[in-house]
Amino acid sequence: MPFVEIRDLHKNFGSNEVLRGIDFDVDAGEVVCLVGPSGSGKSTLLRCVNALETPTSGSVRVGDVEMTDPDTDLDAARRGIGMVFQHFNLFPHLTVLRNVTIAQQRVLRRSRAEASAAAVENLRRVGLADRADAYPAQLSGGQQQRVAIARALAMRPSLMLFDEPTSALDPELVGDVLSVMRSLADDGMTMIVVTHEMSFARDVASRIVFMDAGRVIETGPPAEVLTAPKHERTKTFLQRVLSPGRD
């Protein structure tokens, strides 16, 4: 059984139909990259997976939890899903260590000592153990994003969602964040990643899902989708984003 199962997912914002019948699965340990033009519904789809947006119709299952069942305890369900946004959403008045421990203590009810140990372990994992006492304003954007990843990992999720995690970063800072994500993939983390970083998608994804206008247009292994796309819309998009100087 797939770890994530999305069936006939629709999402409307008023008269604007953003998702138009999405179907796809993600197996445990897979890295699925969602690619496509801006406005194609990728971020909305990601937010429907952890029920930050309520679908208009259709279903989403993560593990053995139906995220779209009105009886589901979403607070409990989301504890197993880590999400990293475009912007880092760190608390500016708290140290890096406290940013990574606060949800552990308040949501998982871990002791301060247990939360601190998990924070240090995951800050080390993202290469920032030496910045535990710093404040977000003292860090680069790339470092702040790595703290956000550590914060999500400290909750010990079974699924990680990344919504264009490098889009707000200066180009020279992108590599460090992608390196952390590559290491998570190597460790077998199940991941759904909305990204415009085609090199990352080519090298790390188990599968690429190309979306346009709220629909899945094409899906397959990176070598297949990126080098021999079947759909004309996919070809047009890739010609633009993979042209010299764009990747």
Side-chain angles (χ1 to χ4, degrees):
M1 186 184 347
F3 187 70
V4 179
E5 185 179 79
I6 299 168
R7 291 290 177 268
D8 196 26
L9 196 68
H10 291 255
K11 176 61 180 177
N12 296 354
F13 293 100
S15 61
N16 183 20
E17 190 176 13
V18 177
L19 299 178
R20 306 181 182 202
I22 301 292
D23 289 279
F24 76 87
D25 300 332
V26 181
D27 290 333
E30 259 198 313
V31 178
V32 172
C33 284
L34 303 179
V35 305
S38 297
S40 58
K42 306 182 300 297
S43 294
T44 299
L45 172 57
L46 208 65
R47 292 171 68 86
C48 286
V49 171
N50 69 350
L52 288 178
E53 296 287 356
T54 302
T56 303
S57 63
S59 65
V60 177
R61 180 182 55 76
V62 178
D64 58 359
V65 178
E66 288 285 346
M67 302 296 291
T68 42
D69 186 332
D71 294 328
T72 293
D73 181 344
L74 291 178
D75 288 337
R78 289 193 191 107
R79 291 171 195 165
I81 304 174
M83 185 151 185
V84 178
F85 299 89
Q86 296 178 36
H87 300 286
F88 327 121
N89 298 333
L90 301 179
F91 294 109
H93 62 293
L94 299 180
T95 65
V96 164
L97 184 68
R98 189 69 183 127
N99 265 283
V100 183
T101 60
I102 189 168
Q104 297 182 64
Q105 291 180 260
R106 292 186 178 179
V107 177
L108 300 182
R109 304 298 181 190
R110 290 177 183 162
S111 68
R112 180 178 286 272
E114 186 182 9
S116 293
V120 169
E121 172 193 343
N122 284 289
L123 287 170
R124 185 178 298 115
R125 193 173 183 180
V126 301
L128 290 173
D130 60 333
R131 305 308 305 274
D133 295 327
Y135 287 86
Q138 297 171 309
L139 304 178
S140 70
Q143 289 172 325
Q144 291 184 60
Q145 190 62 294
R146 284 188 279 153
V147 172
I149 294 172
R151 177 180 58 189
L153 292 174
M155 304 294 282
R156 297 187 187 134
S158 53
L159 170 67
M160 285 287 287
L161 308 176
F162 292 87
D163 188 6
E164 298 192 38
T166 61
S167 66
L169 302 179
D170 292 334
E172 66 268 22
L173 304 176
V174 168
D176 289 340
V177 173
L178 294 181
S179 178
V180 169
M181 294 170 65
R182 289 172 197 265
S183 72
L184 294 181
D186 290 342
D187 290 343
M189 176 65 74
T190 308
M191 298 161 60
I192 306 176
V193 183
V194 174
T195 185
H196 291 292
E197 299 288 341
M198 292 300 153
S199 294
F200 174 84
R202 180 171 52 235
D203 296 343
V204 179
S206 315
R207 195 153 37 92
I208 288 177
V209 173
F210 174 71
M211 292 180 62
D212 186 41
R215 294 186 172 92
V216 171
I217 304 299
E218 188 164 348
T219 182
E224 181 181 300
V225 174
L226 295 180
T227 62
K230 297 182 175 67
H231 198 281
E232 193 60 38
R233 182 66 186 94
T234 316
K235 292 178 185 177
T236 303
F237 173 79
L238 292 174
Q239 285 169 358
R240 183 166 54 83
V241 300
L242 296 178
S243 61
R246 293 299 302 270
D247 186 24

